[in-house]
Amino acid sequence: ASEEPMLANCFFICVQRPLFRGSLFVSKYKAMSTSALSKIEQAKRAAARQAVDDYVRDNTCIGVGSGSTIVYAVERLAERVATEKLSIQCVPTSFQATQLLIEAKIPITNLSNAPVLDVAIDGADEVDSRLNLIKGGGGCQLQEKLVAFNSKKLVIVADFRKDSKCLGEQWKKGIPVEVMPSAYVPVMKYISEKLNGTSVLRMATAKAGPVITDNGNFLLDVDLGVLQPDDVASLDTKLHLIPGVIETGFFVDMAVRAYFGQADGSVVQRDR
C-alpha cells in the first residue's frame, strides 16, 4: 500500500473515507483547490495524476496499488473515465484500493480473470537510484507484488521525500517482512544472528496485539541499515530463504519508471 499506511492496521479503513461516499468521490476533490493541500499532498497528487495521464488508455487493465498517493491516482482515473468515457478494469492490491475503486464506480476484476495487466500504478516508501523499492509500510506488499509481477509495467508515484540514492537513507522504519504467525520468533532470531538485522513485530494501534495482514499473517519491520543498490537483491534472496517468510517489502528490478512530485508542484521522472 506500499507507502505510509493511513492506519497502523493494514486493513486500510481509510481515514479519508468520508470523502469517498457515493458521488462525493469526484466532486469533493474537484471542489478542493490545490492551495488547500499541503506541499506534500500537492506533490503526491501531481505525481499520481501524471502517471495516470501517461499510462492509462482506453481498453486497458490496470493494477491499482495502496497508500495515500494512490488516492489521487484513483481520483484522476475517475475523472478520465467520466470525461473521456474510457473502458478500463482495475485489479486492486488491498482493501483500501478496493473501496476507493468501488466508490469511484470503476470496474474491478482480479488476476484470475486478468492474469496479465497493462500497467500497475503504485506508491513506495522509498526508491533508490536503480528504482529498487521498499514497500509494505501499509502491510500490503504481498498483494502489491503479485499485481506488479503480473503487469507489463510497474510505475511508481511518490512525493520528493521518497527519492533516495540508497534504501534506508530516509525510510527508517525497516523492511516489511510478512511471516507466518508461528514463525515470527525464529525468523527474528535468524535475522539477528545471521543477517545482523534488528526486527520488531509490528503492533496494531486500534486493537490489542499485532497487525494482521489481509492474508492473515504477521509483519516484521527489519532494520538492515542503509543498503547499497548492489546489495538489495542478495539481501532479498536471503530473507526469502528463511522458512516462514512469506514475502518481503523489497521490490527489485520491477519498476520501470518513478514519478516524484516536488514541493513546487512539478514532477520529476526517473526511468530504469
Side-chain angles (χ1 to χ4, degrees):
S2 25
E3 210 175 8
E4 299 157 89
M6 292 184 180
L7 284 181
N9 191 310
C10 67
F11 281 97
F12 276 106
I13 308 277
C14 179
V15 296
Q16 299 180 0
R17 183 172 168 80
L19 298 182
F20 301 111
R21 290 181 179 170
S23 61
L24 290 179
F25 177 85
V26 176
S27 62
K28 181 71 175 181
Y29 272 103
K30 285 183 176 178
M32 184 187 296
S33 66
T34 303
S35 61
L37 299 172
S38 70
K39 294 293 185 182
I40 290 174
E41 293 304 312
Q42 289 182 44
K44 293 177 182 180
R45 191 171 191 257
R49 294 174 70 87
Q50 186 66 56
V52 170
D53 286 348
D54 286 352
Y55 280 92
V56 174
R57 299 289 181 268
D58 195 24
N59 297 311
T60 53
C61 197
I62 305 147
V64 175
S66 307
S68 56
T69 306
I70 292 304
V71 172
Y72 300 112
V74 176
E75 169 202 352
R76 183 57 179 153
L77 282 172
E79 290 176 1
R80 292 194 59 196
V81 168
T83 59
E84 301 174 38
K85 309 302 180 187
L86 296 182
S87 175
I88 63 173
Q89 288 188 311
C90 293
V91 175
T93 60
S94 66
F95 180 90
Q96 177 220 18
T98 301
Q99 295 306 302
L100 290 173
L101 291 166
I102 288 172
E103 295 183 23
K105 295 181 169 51
I106 296 174
I108 293 174
T109 186
N110 54 50
L111 290 176
S112 295
N113 292 319
V116 179
L117 310 182
D118 294 292
V119 64
I121 299 175
D122 206 345
D125 297 307
E126 192 168 32
V127 184
D128 75 8
S129 59
R130 294 189 184 174
L131 297 194
N132 294 316
L133 316 173
I134 294 175
K135 291 178 53 56
C140 300
Q141 70 265 24
L142 174 55
Q143 294 186 58
E144 289 170 342
K145 194 171 285 188
L146 282 170
V147 168
F149 184 82
N150 290 288
S151 299
K152 296 175 183 177
K153 297 177 180 179
L154 170 62
V155 176
I156 297 301
V157 292
D159 63 77
F160 54 90
R161 301 172 301 164
K162 311 302 178 66
D163 188 5
S164 299
K165 291 183 179 179
C166 300
L167 297 181
E169 281 183 347
Q170 300 183 76
W171 178 257
K172 299 300 184 181
K173 297 181 181 180
I175 312 303
V177 177
E178 185 165 347
V179 299
M180 293 177 58
S182 60
Y184 85 94
V185 171
V187 170
M188 292 175 69
K189 185 174 184 292
Y190 184 93
I191 289 172
S192 175
E193 295 178 353
K194 303 297 185 180
L195 302 181
N196 296 315
T198 302
S199 306
V200 295
L201 178 64
R202 191 182 300 183
M203 304 302 288
T205 58
K207 65 177 280 290
V211 167
I212 307 298
T213 71
D214 288 353
N215 312 298
N217 298 310
F218 286 177
L219 282 172
L220 302 179
D221 291 305
V222 180
D223 184 0
L224 295 169
V226 177
L227 305 176
Q228 296 299 316
D230 285 344
D231 297 334
V232 175
S234 62
L235 279 170
D236 186 44
T237 298
K238 290 176 182 177
L239 287 169
H240 273 102
L241 289 174
I242 305 172
V245 168
I246 305 297
E247 190 52 85
T248 80
F250 283 130
F251 283 53
V252 183
D253 293 334
M254 298 186 77
V256 298
R257 176 174 291 180
Y259 292 88
F260 298 102
Q262 305 299 301
D264 62 2
S266 64
V267 178
V268 172
Q269 81 178 43
R270 185 141 47 83
D271 295 336
R272 178 168 62 87

